[in-house]
Amino acid sequence: MLTPTGEIVADARRRGVGAGAFNVITVEHAEAVVTGAEAAGCAVILQISENAVRFHHGRLGPIAAAAKAVAELSSVPVGLHLDHVESDELFDQAAGNGFGSAMYDASKLEYSGNVAATARAVARGHACGLWVESELGEVGGKDGAHKPGVRTDPDEAAQFVRATGVDALAVAVGSAHAMTTQDARLDHDLIARIRDAVAVPLVLHGSSGVPDDELRAAVRGGLVKVNIGTALNVAFTGAIREAIRRDANVVDPRKYLRNARDEMAETVTRALRVLTAAA
């Protein structure tokens, strides 16, 4: 059975470790994440973004059903999370498709608009049992919370959580989405200040670009849910490139998707061992 995301995050927070949340684009991603988590002996969160849904012709149901089926056969606890949702219509489909949580992203709006839209989403989500995450980084930031140089203000974060009722808050502390190198540096003093100001668990987006020692320090400092996506895609694409380099005539996708799935699984295992070694 699926495990609610909120339970996985709460348990990690109690134990002082990180809860790994990995982006799913294809069924191979879902299989790799669960396989990697089983090898690490850790709970894990499968997350499907609005961008991934758009890739699947705008249909949430098929990829959600595939991820759910993979999760339900796992030997470790697995949660299902709908990530970076800007569409109210998509957000309202989450609970009916097996998701225990969703991240509602109104960060492109001005602060007051972000608060109002997020509060409405939280009310709807809570009414159907969803654990709801949101994000805050730049007041009036048109490029969202993870525009380079943007940082979350601790006092605004506390105010935002009180005003919206969110269950978790993604914060901008130095990471960035879509990084393919691990050279981001986090603001650990800021992490501690936000942790002290905000009662709900903190979430780090863009974690693929953060070195292992920085991730361990961030978890020790108060970050709990750690989102990883690009690192899986780097492993996936690299394995496919290598397979085709070795045999330019290969046409059976199983011959290269198997290795790609295995590489992603190893990436998940390594990441979860880093996150759970933080305590």
Side-chain angles (χ1 to χ4, degrees):
M1 296 296 293
L2 289 169
T3 301
T5 301
E7 290 185 12
I8 293 174
V9 172
D11 180 65
R13 193 183 193 190
R14 281 192 299 270
R15 296 190 293 119
V17 300
F22 297 86
N23 286 18
V24 168
I25 300 173
T26 69
V27 67
E28 287 79 18
H29 282 74
E31 291 172 332
V33 172
V34 169
T35 298
E38 289 175 331
C42 295
V44 76
I45 300 161
L46 299 177
Q47 50 187 36
I48 299 171
S49 71
E50 183 168 316
N51 281 338
V53 175
R54 193 173 296 120
F55 169 75
H56 290 287
H57 306 291
R59 300 174 187 139
L60 176 60
I63 186 61
K68 183 172 180 286
V70 172
E72 288 177 337
L73 295 174
S74 174
S75 62
V76 297
V78 181
L80 196 58
H81 177 76
L82 191 60
D83 198 39
H84 275 291
V85 182
E86 298 182 13
S87 162
D88 287 340
E89 180 182 359
L90 180 60
F91 181 84
D92 292 339
Q93 295 176 41
N97 281 280
F99 290 84
S101 61
M103 186 270 186
Y104 186 79
D105 186 358
S107 64
K108 292 179 182 177
L109 300 176
E110 300 289 337
Y111 178 77
S112 60
N114 188 353
V115 168
T118 301
R120 289 193 297 268
V122 169
R124 297 198 312 277
H126 285 176
C128 56
L130 284 181
W131 183 91
V132 183
E133 173 189 333
S134 190
E135 81 172 27
L136 182 69
E138 180 183 29
V139 176
K142 299 297 184 184
D143 295 320
H146 297 283
K147 179 181 176 181
V150 169
R151 297 291 183 269
T152 299
D153 178 85
D155 293 334
E156 287 173 353
Q159 179 183 358
F160 183 85
V161 169
R162 288 193 298 268
T164 60
V166 292
D167 300 298
L169 185 68
V171 293
V173 292
S175 61
H177 288 114
M179 288 186 67
T180 57
T181 58
Q182 283 189 305
D183 51 16
R185 286 292 178 263
L186 303 180
D187 187 333
H188 297 284
D189 177 66
L190 178 59
I191 292 169
R193 288 166 54 212
I194 300 172
R195 175 204 63 208
D196 292 343
V198 174
V200 300
L202 302 181
V203 183
L204 183 67
H205 288 217
S207 305
S208 293
V210 181
D212 293 351
D213 59 338
E214 288 280 295
L215 280 180
R216 280 189 287 264
V219 171
R220 285 195 298 268
L223 285 166
V224 185
K225 180 173 176 279
V226 177
N227 291 9
I228 297 172
T230 301
L232 299 190
N233 297 335
V234 168
F236 182 88
T237 307
I240 292 174
R241 284 197 183 106
E242 177 60 21
I244 293 173
R245 185 194 65 77
R246 289 196 309 266
D247 181 3
N249 296 314
V250 63
V251 294
D252 185 343
R254 290 169 295 186
K255 294 186 181 298
Y256 50 82
L257 288 179
R258 180 179 292 108
N259 289 343
R261 185 177 57 192
D262 290 346
E263 288 295 322
M264 286 194 292
E266 290 182 14
T267 299
V268 170
T269 299
R270 287 195 299 270
L272 287 173
R273 286 175 176 160
V274 168
L275 297 178
T276 55

